[in-house]
Amino acid sequence: MSVRESGVDDIDLVILPPSRDLGDGFTVRRSLPQPQRRMVGPFIFFDQMGPVELRDGQGLDVRPHPHIGLATVTYLFQGEIMHRDSLGSVQPIRPGELNWMNAGAGITHSERSPDGARHGGSALFGLQLWVALPAGQEESAPSFQHHDAAAIPVGEIDGVTVRQIVGTMDGLAAPVKTLSEMVYAEIVMPPGTRYRVPSEQIERAFYLIDGAVTVDGQGFAPAELVILKPHAEILLSSERGARLVLVGGEPFPEQRYIYWNFVSSRPDRIEQAKADWREQRFAAVPGEQEFIPLPPDPPQPVRYP
C-alpha cells in the first residue's frame, strides 16, 4: 500500500490500495482500513473485487464466515454473486443492485458465483464496503435487505448522472434503511463535465472506478481513494469521462476495534465473537457445511479511532 500527499488544499490523503488474496484464489484491492487512515465516516472497510475474467468452470467461492457489529454493502458493476446467510436469505446480486446485510449481534453468510455464471466464463467486478454500526446498535438483531437496480434513485446534474446507493444527496434518497446517517453514491461523468461534491457530510472520500478526474488541475486515476478534508468543497472535472463512487458520513465519538470479520467498540466483544466462531456457536447457513476457520490471533485487536 502506498499513500501520497495532495497539493490540493481540500484533499487530505490519497490511498493507492494493494491487491490482497481473500483465499480461494480471489484477489481484491483494499483501500480501508490502512495505517494512515482507518475509517471515513462510518465506513471501516473498502474492497474492490476484480475486474476479473473467470474461465469456464471458475467462480467465486467465499465459504460461510461470521460478522458482528457491522453492515456489509455489496454493489456490482459486472457479474453476479449469490448471497446466502444464516437468516435463510438466498439472494443473487447483479450490476446496479444493492445487498445490505446488517450483522448486528451476529450473522453467518457465504458469497459464491451462481451455477449459471460458472459455465462459459464470466466477468466479476464490484465493491464491498463495511459500515460500522453505532455503539447502541452493535447488538441489534441481524437483518438483510436487497434493492433491485430500478429501486436505486437516479438523478442528473449538468449532464452528470448520480445513483444514490445509500443515504440522501443531491435531492435523491436511497431506499435502504440504515442505523446512522451516511452517503454512498455512484457518479458517472461524461467527457467534458464537472461535478461539485456536496459538503454536508463531515468526512468524505471518492474512489475512481474508471476514467480520470482532476481537482484544481491535479489528476486522479482508477483505484485511488481520495480522502477530503472535513466539509471541503471540491469541483471534479473530467475531460475523458469517469465513473467514481463517493462515500462519507459522520465520525463516531467512540473508537472501533476490528479483528478479521468482527467490528466492535469493545475489544472484549470481539474476544467473545472469536470464541463463539471457534466453537461454532454462530448460526449456520442453511444447506452449507463448509466454513472459513478463525485465523491465527494477532497480538490484540486493531484499534481504529
Side-chain angles (χ1 to χ4, degrees), residues 114-242:
D115 291 342
R118 296 175 186 267
H119 304 291
S122 62
L124 186 61
F125 184 23
L127 300 175
Q128 186 173 96
L129 282 59
W130 295 356
V131 173
L133 301 181
Q137 299 291 337
E138 288 178 324
E139 299 301 319
S140 58
S143 61
F144 177 76
Q145 302 176 59
H146 173 82
H147 296 279
D148 291 336
I152 306 298
V154 181
E156 184 176 307
I157 302 171
D158 297 329
V160 174
T161 300
V162 177
R163 302 191 81 241
Q164 195 64 36
I165 303 168
V166 176
T168 301
M169 188 180 77
D170 289 331
L172 303 171
V176 66
K177 296 178 181 178
T178 67
L179 297 177
S180 63
E181 291 188 9
M182 68 196 73
V183 64
Y184 179 17
E186 179 187 6
I187 299 165
V188 178
M189 303 179 65
T193 56
R194 299 190 299 174
Y195 176 74
R196 187 171 299 280
V197 176
S199 59
E200 289 84 358
Q201 304 285 350
I202 294 177
E203 297 185 350
R204 287 150 302 135
F206 66 84
Y207 185 84
L208 265 290
I209 305 300
D210 52 53
V213 298
T214 61
V215 179
D216 290 343
Q218 180 173 340
F220 299 95
E224 292 185 335
L225 183 68
V226 183
I227 300 173
L228 309 183
K229 291 182 179 177
H231 288 306
E233 293 190 9
I234 65 165
L235 182 65
L236 300 175
S237 300
S238 183
E239 292 186 5
R240 307 197 321 259

Side-chain angles (χ1 to χ4, degrees), residues 67-78:
H67 290 285
I68 66 163
L70 59 89
T72 63
V73 191
T74 307
Y75 187 79
L76 297 183
F77 304 110
Q78 291 179 289

